[in-house]
Amino acid sequence: MPINVAIDGPAGAGKSTVSKAVAAKLGFIYADTGALYRAVAYAVNSKGIKACDKEKVINELESITPELRFTGGLQHVFVNGEDVSDKIRTSEISMEASAVSAIPEVREFLFGLQKKIARENNIIMDGRDIGTVVLPGADVKIFLTAAAEERAERRYKELSGKPGCPSFEDILSDIKTRDYNDMNRSIAPLRQAEDAVLADTTEMDFQTVVSMVLSIIKEKTGAESIG
Ligand code: DC
């Protein structure tokens, strides 16, 4: 049986960078499920459909084939054969992804794909509902969070100096809006699973978080770093 690790938490908590580093250390695959919601948002937006137009989004689903492909453990996201890994990282797609993720039919549509990846691989899978809905039987569940201001600060540092970098205030406001949307939607809202370990990383540096996550996984599954 493959080992499944579920890492959930709010936007900007460092889930993807931490999960990627931990997966590389363990030789596991890292699956970023947010990318699937982003891919759906990208696909509908490119047909001129906004996420708020639920009926149109739902009708569009049958023409969308999202895929996660893994090369050397690294994930690439495809929609209908096109690699959209970079195009889905804009702040507009972030908001649109949060909105499409509140549509039950979209969640249902992506559910089977996420389950299949987990069935076939040793994985670190991150998202919002992995420990609660997608992989309720995961071997390890971690809820990674940090104060909104700290998450905005990290994102600001990551983007500063790049063209079109938003202001700190805009980043913080986007993070708060997404937190609200993700925690208050009626289906699979963001919340900590009862059996998840809570990791508040506000005061921790990256390496400390990675070491902590690795030791939680080792304690629960025996999996050790491969180098
Ligand atoms: O992790 P991210 O920022 O790339 O995710 C984009 C959006 O997708 C996020 O605002 C909420 C949604 N999402 C979700 O509802 N469930 C998941 N498992 C992953 C992401």
Side-chain angles (χ1 to χ4, degrees):
M1 280 286 277
I3 296 173
N4 287 180
V5 177
I7 301 197
D8 290 301
K15 297 186 299 296
S16 63
T17 34
V18 169
S19 301
K20 212 180 278 176
V22 168
K25 288 254 181 216
L26 296 173
F28 284 19
I29 271 176
Y30 161 54
D32 160 18
T33 62
L36 292 171
Y37 292 91
R38 289 172 180 269
V40 169
Y42 173 84
V44 294
N45 277 192
S46 59
K47 292 210 172 159
I49 299 166
K50 289 279 168 199
C52 57
D53 201 340
K54 278 190 197 168
E55 288 311 312
K56 285 196 178 155
V57 171
I58 294 166
N59 286 336
E60 210 45 52
L61 291 177
E62 63 181 23
S63 70
I64 301 174
T65 307
E67 246 184 298
L68 296 184
R69 295 188 199 165
F70 302 95
T71 326
L74 281 188
Q75 170 183 288
H76 282 260
V77 196
F78 285 76
V79 184
N80 301 341
E82 178 192 359
D83 186 345
V84 296
S85 310
D86 295 331
K87 292 178 181 161
I88 58 172
R89 298 288 156 197
T90 65
S91 52
E92 190 187 348
I93 294 292
S94 300
M95 282 300 174
E96 287 285 294
S98 182
V100 294
S101 75
I103 304 173
E105 286 81 353
V106 172
R107 304 203 72 82
E108 186 61 39
F109 175 68
L110 296 174
F111 182 76
L113 176 57
Q114 296 170 79
K115 294 287 278 187
K116 182 171 183 287
I117 297 166
R119 244 191 334 266
E120 294 172 351
N121 301 283
N122 286 333
I123 47 143
I124 313 285
M125 182 173 274
D126 85 8
R128 304 292 190 285
D129 63 337
I130 307 306
T132 51
V133 177
V134 179
L135 304 175
D139 304 277
V140 184
K141 297 181 188 179
I142 297 169
F143 193 83
L144 206 65
T145 190
E149 285 70 16
E150 172 65 20
R151 288 184 277 134
E153 184 67 40
R154 290 177 193 169
R155 183 77 25 116
Y156 182 65
K157 279 194 188 139
E158 194 182 309
L159 296 176
S160 65
K162 296 191 179 155
C165 171
S167 67
F168 172 79
E169 288 71 24
D170 284 349
I171 294 176
L172 181 59
S173 150
D174 272 14
I175 279 185
K176 287 185 172 170
T177 306
R178 282 219 284 154
D179 281 358
Y180 183 85
N181 291 347
D182 295 346
M183 289 192 286
N184 290 286
R185 66 180 175 226
S186 55
I187 180 160
L190 169 65
R191 66 175 177 80
Q192 183 185 341
E194 273 173 23
D195 51 351
V197 178
L198 174 65
D200 185 332
T201 70
T202 307
E203 305 282 340
M204 290 184 202
D205 66 24
F206 175 70
Q207 279 311 332
T208 310
V209 182
V210 170
S211 304
M212 181 187 65
V213 170
L214 280 168
S215 72
I216 296 170
I217 295 173
K218 184 176 174 196
E219 188 191 311
K220 300 214 180 241
T221 69
E224 297 208 46
S225 299
I226 54 174

